[in-house]
Amino acid sequence: MPDPLDPAPHDAADPLASFRERFTPAPGVVAYLDGNSLGRPPAAAADRLAGFVRDDWGTRLVRGWDEGWWTLPERLGDRIGGLALGAAPGQTVVADSTTVLLHKLATAAVALRPGRDEIVTDTGNFPTDRDVLDGIADARGLTVRRIRSDPAAGVTPEQVAAAVSGRTALVSFSHVGYRSGWIADAPAITRIAHDAGALVLWDLSHSAGSVPVELDAWGADLAAGCTYKYLNGGPGSPAFGYVRADLLADVENPVRGWVGRADPFGMTDGFAPADGVRRMLSGTPPVLATVPLQVSLEMLAEAGIGAVREKSRRLTRYALELADAWLVPHGVAVASPRDPDRRGGHVTLTRPGFAGLLGPLHAVGVIPDYRGPDGLRIGPAPLSTSFAELHAGLSVLRSLVAG
């Protein structure tokens, strides 16, 4: 009788299987299950980086700024917007870190709602989001209202409706929860916030490149996210920020800098912002740091976000099947949604003492992600993870929890 948990049929039916060979191999790694934290490097990135240093930077030197570098933040932003964010051109830029962009966008948002003194977020939002919002509130004399969300699920439209009011300037949540992988009902939450007169800022760090996003269709106001998870941009690769087109004429960047000026080479006193989304830039674009990201976006364009999402759903469903058969009998609980429409790209497993298993797992080449107090996040990346790899990694985990 065939083994229902055999990964071979899944891999044989995977239309994206060939992409796995286009990532740099990691000797000694049996299963890399942390793509939701740091994506693997595309193999072509090393040659592309070397070529950039040798040819673009090496031979064009400062002339490179006039030959494409200067407009790279907008061009790459449009590329990400079109491939992964459901955003029309002219609304997205690549710059800074996620934290810095979240700070810029949230500060700009509350400035657009004078007289309102509350920011709404939830207790399960990523720590940097909560820290940014708290800092803005402290600086501006605002109050942060925290919705107490279920760590194994996420914030609901009903909770948002009960929290917002005429005092709410900004509502800010993560589209995919970093702990459980819960997908928020972004269209409904955005609509509720708008009905209350508030603006909405979405953190897309655990969505972009794994879960399709439709910022324009949602009517989202602002969004930010990182590029080093499912977009494989590399550790510390620059973030992306989105501002809805009709807000651009009024939004003010709180971190003014010469790159965001209307006339950056005028060297004059007095600041006039650039037109469009470029006004959200501050300092010199991180050109070199975008090279691996450009390679990864080429692969995403080839695969298509729809196919990526379908494989992500299949990978996480398979992870749940393995967990139910192998791990739940040993006291492991699943802390992620069973509903695939509410489940993002990772699955969180919980059991007291999981922190002590990281060392043994790493020692044999199995690399998941840990989030306290007792959660292991299993984050298979659709383009770089096979079903056999997922099977091998959870098999090792089974031996440890059963031992």
Side-chain angles (χ1 to χ4, degrees):
M1 180 176 178
D3 179 0
L5 298 179
D6 182 1
H10 295 286
D11 282 321
D14 177 16
L16 303 181
S18 63
F19 281 91
R20 188 168 187 269
E21 304 307 315
R22 293 160 65 175
F23 288 84
T24 301
V29 173
V30 172
Y32 185 65
L33 305 177
D34 203 2
N36 60 309
S37 184
L38 177 65
R40 296 178 66 171
D47 288 341
R48 193 75 65 87
L49 278 165
F52 180 88
V53 173
R54 182 185 61 246
D55 302 323
D56 300 70
W57 180 15
T59 67
R60 303 314 298 158
L61 299 170
V62 74
R63 293 172 292 184
W65 289 111
D66 297 323
E67 296 169 356
W69 298 351
W70 191 252
T71 58
L72 189 61
E74 300 108 303
R75 288 189 290 109
L76 201 52
D78 285 346
R79 180 83 159 147
I80 294 173
L83 288 174
L85 308 182
Q91 302 175 103
T92 310
V93 288
V94 169
D96 306 315
S97 68
T98 310
T99 301
V100 171
L101 275 177
L102 284 169
H103 187 278
K104 286 181 177 183
L105 294 170
T107 300
V110 298
L112 289 174
R113 290 295 183 266
R116 291 175 174 243
D117 63 357
E118 283 190 351
I119 298 170
V120 172
T121 188
D122 71 305
T123 56
N125 209 349
F126 193 73
T128 203
D129 299 61
R130 290 182 270 130
D131 291 344
V132 163
L133 297 175
D134 285 344
I136 292 169
D138 289 346
R140 291 177 168 260
L142 308 177
T143 299
V144 176
R145 179 185 293 274
R146 279 187 169 81
I147 295 171
R148 185 163 296 282
S149 55
D150 182 351
V155 68
T156 66
E158 293 76 18
Q159 289 176 305
V160 177
V164 298
S165 70
R167 297 177 60 183
T168 308
L170 176 66
V171 171
S172 184
F173 303 111
S174 292
H175 177 229
V176 172
Y178 82 100
R179 286 190 183 276
S180 69
W182 170 270
I183 301 177
D185 189 343
I189 289 172
T190 299
R191 184 173 58 252
I192 290 165
H194 286 173
D195 288 345
L199 295 173
V200 183
L201 169 59
W202 287 102
D203 184 337
L204 306 177
S205 294
H206 284 84
S207 310
S210 174
V211 177
V213 172
E214 296 292 342
L215 290 175
D216 289 352
W218 297 347
D221 303 301
L222 312 126
C226 69
T227 63
Y228 47 76
K229 299 181 189 298
Y230 298 107
L231 293 178
N232 306 298
S237 58
F240 60 83
Y242 164 95
V243 181
R244 199 179 68 232
D246 63 301
L247 294 176
L248 285 169
D250 298 317
V251 73
E252 293 187 11
N253 183 349
V255 185
R256 293 180 178 182
W258 76 295
V259 179
R261 279 173 165 258
D263 182 13
F265 295 98
M267 306 301 174
T268 58
D269 288 335
F271 181 86
D275 291 334
V277 74
R278 191 173 182 90
R279 66 179 51 208
M280 296 311 297
L281 301 179
S282 301
T284 304
V287 176
L288 184 63
T290 68
V291 174
L293 175 61
Q294 294 178 59
V295 176
S296 182
L297 292 177
E298 291 167 7
M299 289 197 292
L300 180 59
E302 183 180 342
I305 189 63
V308 166
R309 173 56 176 160
E310 179 57 29
K311 183 174 178 183
S312 178
R313 289 165 66 108
R314 291 179 60 215
L315 281 167
T316 54
R317 182 181 66 218
Y318 186 54
L320 291 174
E321 291 170 356
L322 293 172
D324 287 339
W326 291 351
L327 304 175
V328 170
H330 297 288
V332 175
V334 174
S336 291
R338 298 281 181 168
D339 180 355
D341 291 335
R342 293 267 71 88
R343 186 175 67 244
H346 66 273
V347 168
T348 298
L349 308 173
T350 62
R351 195 181 87 155
F354 259 170
L357 295 186
L358 283 182
L361 285 168
H362 286 186
V364 295
V366 177
I367 306 176
D369 188 37
Y370 176 77
R371 286 292 179 267
D374 55 10
L376 279 183
R377 296 192 307 181
I378 308 301
L383 292 184
S384 61
T385 307
S386 68
F387 290 87
E389 184 177 7
L390 182 56
H391 183 280
L394 291 187
S395 177
V396 172
L397 180 58
R398 172 181 59 173
S399 68
L400 291 173
V401 298

